[in-house]
């Protein structure tokens, strides 16, 4: 197999972890993710992962329930740690080494993140799950993912979603929406597309980190993307 990439950053949304559920973590979905991740680890690809927390808590939505925004964001960041622990456990269960890093020091739940330790883990065949977002309120895990992807010198950021790429409009609402095979960062701005928040898109643009948006919920797609199959949308 001719691997296009040696090191990647995979972004998974917290919401996808819910599977068919309304809240929390679906065991079937997380097991499927783990299997797909092991499959590409077995191809020799070095893998860093950032997971969102929206299946448990989002800071912004907490404000309508009376939660202070900064504390709400801290709750959201902790939610990403919970998801990361769950994914590491699912990976270990199928024989894939994984290590959780945390943006804020909370040893022994995870190791305090540093670029060098995360790279060392990946070079040893361990999946580095980098949790806690950026460690700061008012950011998202998309931005955390862009930041970590750049830091660990990933060649690409794979954004796994439930949609199979970027469309001219939301395909779940507009049946005439058309999919892009590729699109430039600038076109995302000019068309006002909601692919990721602008902070994340700008970080990727300024640091030349390409993004591939693809449907991670279809089993086997992660391997297909990394084998160079033309699924999803490339942002360059
Ligand atoms: N969050 C934060 N700083 C970060 C990353 C995340 O404060 O650097 C908080 C924020 O409250 C966010 C929540 O964590 O709503 C969950 O992250 P996100 O919404 O990105 O998760 P997803 O929607 O991908 O599940």
């Amino acid at each position: 197999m001719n691997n296009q990439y040696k090191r990647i950053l995979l972004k998974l949304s917290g919401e996808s972890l819910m599977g068919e559920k309304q809240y929390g973590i679906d065991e079937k979905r997380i097991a499927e993710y783990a299997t797909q991740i092991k499959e590409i680890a077995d191809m020799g690809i070095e893998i860093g992962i950032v997971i969102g927390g929206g299946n448990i808590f989002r800071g912004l939505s907490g404000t309508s329930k009376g939660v202070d925004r900064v504390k709400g964001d801290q709750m959201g960041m902790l939610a990403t740690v919970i998801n990361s622990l769950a994914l590491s456990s699912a990976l270990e269960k199928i024989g894939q080494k994984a290590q959780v890093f945390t943006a804020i020091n909370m040893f022994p739940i995870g190791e305090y993140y540093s670029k060098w330790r995360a790279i060392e883990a990946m070079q040893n065949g361990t999946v580095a799950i980098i949790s806690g977002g950026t460690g700061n309120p008012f950011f998202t895990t998309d931005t955390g993912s862009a930041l970590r992807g750049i830091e660990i010198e990933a060649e690409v950021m794979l954004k796994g979603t439930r949609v199979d790429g970027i469309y001219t409009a939301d395909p779940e609402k507009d049946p005439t929406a058309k999919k892009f095979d590729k699109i430039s960062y600038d076109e995302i701005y000019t068309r006002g597309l909601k692919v990721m928040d602008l902070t994340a898109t700008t970080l990727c643009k300024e640091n030349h980190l390409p993004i591939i948006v693809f449907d991670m919920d279809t089993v086997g797609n992660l391997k297909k993307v990394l084998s160079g199959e033309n699924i999803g949308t490339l942002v360059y």
Side-chain angles (χ1 to χ4, degrees), residues 143-154:
T143 301
S145 163
L147 173 67
R148 299 314 183 200
I150 295 158
E151 275 190 277
I152 64 169
E153 298 169 33

Side-chain angles (χ1 to χ4, degrees), residues 8 15 22-23 37 43 46 61 65 68 119 128 133 149 223:
I8 64 151
E15 238 172 39
Q22 298 298 311
Y23 178 84
I37 293 161
M43 288 159 69
E46 295 176 13
S61 41
K65 298 176 194 116
D68 167 78
I119 289 180
K223 187 174 179 183

Side-chain angles (χ1 to χ4, degrees), residues 62-79:
T63 53
S64 63
K65 298 176 194 116
V67 180
D68 167 78
R69 173 69 195 267
V70 172
K71 289 197 196 315
D73 280 342
Q74 288 168 336
M75 290 165 71
M77 286 186 268
L78 289 174

Side-chain angles (χ1 to χ4, degrees), residues 11 14-15 52-54 57-59 73 76-77 133-134 136-137 139-141:
K11 161 78 207 300
E15 238 172 39
F57 201 85
R58 281 207 178 89
D73 280 342
M77 286 186 268
T134 62
N136 294 294
F139 287 96
T140 63
T141 49

